[in-house]
Amino acid sequence: MTNLQIFLDIATEAALSAGVILQDYLGKVEDAITEKGRPGDLVTAADKASEKVILEILNRHFPQHSILAEESGKLGNQDNEYLWAIDPLDGTTNYAHQYPCFAVSIGLFINGVSQVGVIYDPFHNELFRAAAGLGATRNRRPIKVSQTNELSKSLLTTGFAYDRRETSDNNYAEFCHLTHLTQGVRRGGSASLDLAYVACGRVDGYWERGIAPWDIAAGIILLAEAGGKITAYDNSPFQIDSGRILATNGYIHNELSQELIKVSPLSAW
């Protein structure tokens, strides 16, 4: 097997193990929910237990690799060419309310480039996997993006950042604008699943601001391998640390980018 296949298989082991933890804790965390600084930015015992099992598996197999985990932060030698970006529970607010839209997300960057990604939705038992040059799958079957080629016929998804109450730099105005131009805009509450749904053709495009690398590390390689396109809002090259992403099936990308650019900020409304 290639190294990427090995990395993919170990990431899958970690994601599935974490998924078992999330299923076990579901509906049992009401008394163990705290906020991490901003209203609505929650963490539960399930987040911590899920991350613990992921770290144990990755450290056992790849003790020299560096890690960026949502709850634990930076671990290991950050100068290592291999960096795992982990979100042990993407969609914590959903999870805390037992709303069935959450996932485990594990991505691997090699020299700063996303190369491996695994997203596991334990509630629906959906496993999304991809590695550079190896394709993208859902439950081991190949997936690809939709062929919708007009924004007016598209279905989009987005999310709202935790600091949305504090800044006019949010996407409320964009949400309203694009709701009128498309067949609909959904807000699932899990960035990794948003990207997975674009990758498998359930939605045609996704944009969001205020996201962290661990939110999208797995999803960007999944979408790339499924035939999609990822850039900044203005169609310039995507930067993982920018906090903003525009991801589509490719066919509506330019049109969606143009519409995002023309929307006035909420403060001007």
Side-chain angles (χ1 to χ4, degrees):
M1 293 191 294
T2 66
N3 284 341
L4 288 184
Q5 185 65 59
I6 293 172
F7 296 149
L8 181 61
D9 289 342
I10 299 303
T12 300
E13 176 191 349
L16 292 175
S17 298
V20 172
I21 298 291
L22 297 185
Q23 285 285 54
D24 288 344
Y25 273 88
L26 187 61
K28 304 173 185 176
V29 297
E30 290 86 350
D31 297 327
I33 302 172
T34 58
E35 290 185 334
K36 293 189 288 186
R38 288 192 175 100
D41 190 1
L42 307 181
V43 62
T44 72
D47 294 76
K48 297 175 182 178
S50 174
E51 185 165 294
K52 181 179 178 181
V53 73
I54 294 170
L55 293 177
E56 287 174 349
I57 292 172
L58 294 181
N59 284 325
R60 183 169 70 247
H61 290 281
F62 312 116
Q64 303 304 317
H65 289 190
S66 58
I67 291 175
L68 175 63
E70 180 176 17
E71 307 307 332
S72 302
K74 296 179 180 180
L75 302 170
N77 176 16
Q78 293 297 305
D79 293 327
N80 190 283
E81 63 181 316
Y82 298 100
L83 172 64
W84 293 93
I86 302 165
D87 193 336
L89 174 47
D90 182 24
T92 301
T93 300
N94 289 343
Y95 184 86
H97 290 272
Q98 299 183 57
Y99 184 81
C101 185
F102 53 86
V104 180
S105 177
I106 302 174
L108 174 64
F109 293 96
I110 303 177
N111 291 319
V113 179
S114 180
Q115 297 282 284
V116 173
V118 175
I119 299 167
Y120 180 50
D121 172 355
F123 192 92
H124 299 101
N125 194 29
E126 288 194 313
L127 176 66
F128 298 91
R129 308 195 324 150
L134 300 180
T137 63
R138 171 193 165 273
N139 291 350
R140 314 285 177 163
R141 295 179 178 273
I143 56 174
K144 61 181 180 179
V145 296
S146 71
Q147 294 185 317
T148 303
N149 58 12
E150 296 178 33
L151 189 62
S152 62
K153 297 179 180 179
S154 71
L155 179 65
L156 307 179
T157 187
T158 190
F160 301 117
Y162 291 120
D163 66 354
R164 61 189 181 274
R165 300 173 178 86
E166 307 159 11
T167 177
S168 60
D169 183 20
N170 56 56
N171 59 350
Y172 291 155
E174 296 158 2
F175 183 93
C176 294
H177 180 73
L178 290 168
T179 294
H180 284 275
L181 297 181
T182 64
Q183 292 186 347
V185 179
R186 303 290 180 256
R187 199 272 180 160
S190 170
S192 61
L193 287 180
D194 287 335
L195 286 166
Y197 288 0
V198 179
C200 72
R202 290 177 181 166
V203 295
D204 308 300
Y206 158 69
W207 86 98
E208 190 169 354
R209 62 184 72 200
I211 50 175
W214 52 73
D215 295 319
I216 56 175
I220 55 179
I221 183 61
L222 184 78
L223 181 54
E225 287 294 307
K229 183 176 181 179
I230 297 172
T231 68
Y233 281 16
D234 63 0
N235 228 342
S236 62
F238 172 68
Q239 301 293 329
I240 188 67
D241 294 322
S242 69
R244 304 187 184 204
I245 187 171
L246 171 59
T248 74
N249 62 3
Y251 299 102
I252 64 167
H253 202 91
N254 291 340
E255 190 177 1
L256 180 52
S257 173
Q258 291 168 6
E259 292 299 333
L260 284 173
I261 292 171
K262 72 169 63 170
V263 179
S264 301
L266 183 66
S267 59
W269 280 34

